Amino acid sequence: MPAATAFAGPASSASAVAGPASSASAVAGPASSASAVAGPASSATASAVPLQPSSPVTARPALHSHTTAVTTELAHRPTETDVFPARWTRISDTRFRFTAYWPAAHPFFGPVDDRHQDPMIVGETLRQASMVLAHAEFGAPADTHFVMWDLTVRVDPAALLLADAAEPVEFDVVCSEIRRRGHGLRSMRTTMEFRRAGRFVARGTGSTGCTPPRAYRRLRADKLNALDTPVPLLAGIAPQSAGRARAEDVVLAPADRPGVWNLRVDTGHPVLFPRPNDHVPGMVLFEAARQAATAASGVRPFLPGTLTAEFAHYAELHSPCRIETEVVDERPGEVTVRVSGRQDGAPVFTASLTSARPAPVRSPS
């Protein structure tokens, strides 16, 4: 993921969480050193999350004694309150254990209703931890541009209660598919399992690519030259339709038919665009998928138990990006929304999100 960004889409060292791939084999788009959070997954695999899943991530060898603090620089977040992993311990060359804190209140990753924390905070934590390890444990230089090609997160929403927000989150990380560039890092996959007070919360995986600054400048030269060109800010849809409390956090604008929106890009947003970026951060695309799933399904709150995303190309700042949805009722009691983003006739990303439908409220007889 790109160095200063967020959840998806190729990003510059100050931007994305996931981004477009530079080769035909990439599953998802490149992100700059501050971006990615994603894991490989097909949109047809969404399913309910088991409460106590078994996983190789949870095989717990003895911890080493040394712990290291996460800094804003390692997490590519200029504001401390936007950094969720707090510290980590190295267990082996490829295994690590982190402690994180998910605040009950946050300007962007705030509660989705009066009971639940935002499931998207899992993906953002995965993204940040992946960049931390890439730098501190695998030798990626500070000016590396990260790209996350794919992301899969499975969450138990019942374990994301606001009442438990004061409890630290422990998560184990396994790094695999590690490819080196000299003494540095070319790419790797991170797989993480999150628990709070001993209870399973989520599991996620994502693959991250690393691009040196010189190569990134060659790849993105014309877009980097347009960084000072203002991006028109479109009028957003109603916050309630997008599942947001504040109008400034809406990333969808009306389009020409139901189930379709235009991407709304606010380059002044302090969380989505913490630094100047030459493309739309992957985190913005991931959030657009969640908001589109909420608006298309009509489910409030939309609490995704399964989220998958794959990124194919950078989403450019100065070209309209169309967000399309398909609502699929595959299982009783839940809804799946498939989301795709297209720009200039080409696919940018695809995502699939599944949420339980709220139980109907019975009126007193």
Side-chain angles (χ1 to χ4, degrees):
M1 23 189 185
T5 8
F7 262 59
S12 68
S13 62
S15 66
V17 172
S22 59
S23 70
S25 62
V27 173
S32 69
S33 62
S35 62
V37 174
S42 71
S43 61
T45 58
S47 61
V49 178
L51 294 182
Q52 296 293 335
S54 60
S55 166
V57 179
T58 57
R60 301 196 171 207
L63 285 171
H64 293 185
S65 58
H66 179 69
T67 59
T68 307
V70 174
T71 65
T72 55
E73 292 78 13
L74 288 173
H76 291 275
R77 277 295 187 183
T79 305
E80 287 186 6
T81 53
D82 292 342
V83 177
F84 302 128
R87 57 189 176 273
W88 83 94
T89 300
R90 187 172 186 265
I91 298 172
S92 74
D93 288 348
T94 58
R95 299 171 65 89
F96 308 88
R97 185 166 304 159
F98 278 76
T99 299
Y101 293 91
W102 292 340
H106 185 270
F108 189 78
F109 295 100
V112 293
D113 59 10
D114 58 359
R115 295 186 60 230
H116 296 93
Q117 292 188 272
D118 187 353
M120 303 294 277
I121 203 169
V122 177
E124 175 62 9
T125 304
L126 186 155
R127 181 189 76 81
Q128 292 181 17
S130 297
M131 291 187 294
V132 167
L133 293 177
H135 287 307
E137 299 285 355
F138 292 95
D143 54 1
T144 297
H145 293 261
F146 293 100
V147 57
M148 193 156 268
W149 303 114
D150 58 85
L151 166 70
T152 298
V153 176
R154 299 182 186 277
V155 183
D156 176 11
L160 276 176
L161 298 180
L162 283 171
D164 298 330
E167 289 281 348
V169 176
E170 305 291 335
F171 63 100
D172 289 341
V173 184
V174 172
C175 300
S176 61
E177 302 175 24
I178 299 164
R179 295 177 176 84
R180 293 287 189 175
R181 178 185 281 109
H183 296 293
L185 183 67
R186 180 185 296 272
S187 63
M188 72 175 177
R189 174 169 297 283
T190 49
T191 301
M192 307 184 187
E193 187 161 293
F194 300 80
R195 292 181 178 266
R196 183 154 58 183
R199 179 178 180 179
F200 172 81
V201 176
R203 182 182 296 124
T205 183
S207 57
T208 303
C210 307
T211 304
R214 182 177 298 179
Y216 191 82
R217 286 194 296 270
R218 288 197 302 268
L219 177 68
R220 301 287 298 167
D222 57 332
K223 305 303 178 184
L224 291 169
N225 292 335
L227 273 174
D228 293 333
T229 304
V231 178
L233 182 60
L234 304 178
I237 65 173
Q240 295 77 11
S241 298
R244 303 298 310 196
R246 308 187 310 170
E248 55 265 41
D249 294 332
V250 173
V251 297
L252 300 179
D256 53 357
R257 60 184 175 86
V260 178
W261 294 270
N262 292 311
L263 185 66
R264 178 178 185 264
V265 178
D266 180 3
T267 57
H269 194 288
V271 177
L272 297 178
F273 282 85
R275 298 169 183 161
N277 196 22
D278 65 294
H279 61 269
V280 178
M283 180 172 138
V284 177
L285 302 179
F286 205 52
E287 177 63 19
R290 189 263 291 272
Q291 292 188 19
T294 303
S297 67
V299 172
R300 314 273 196 288
F302 190 93
L303 284 167
T306 303
L307 310 89
T308 71
E310 298 178 354
F311 301 89
H313 293 283
Y314 290 101
E316 306 298 351
L317 294 171
H318 298 95
S319 182
C321 184
R322 190 172 175 87
I323 308 297
E324 302 179 347
T325 58
E326 176 189 8
V327 180
V328 182
D329 291 307
E330 294 179 327
R331 298 169 182 259
E334 67 180 34
V335 59
T336 295
V337 183
R338 295 169 185 160
V339 185
S340 61
R342 297 184 64 84
Q343 189 173 60
D344 298 325
V348 172
F349 76 95
T350 58
S352 178
L353 303 89
T354 297
S355 173
R357 289 189 179 276
V361 178
R362 295 182 179 179
S363 57
S365 55

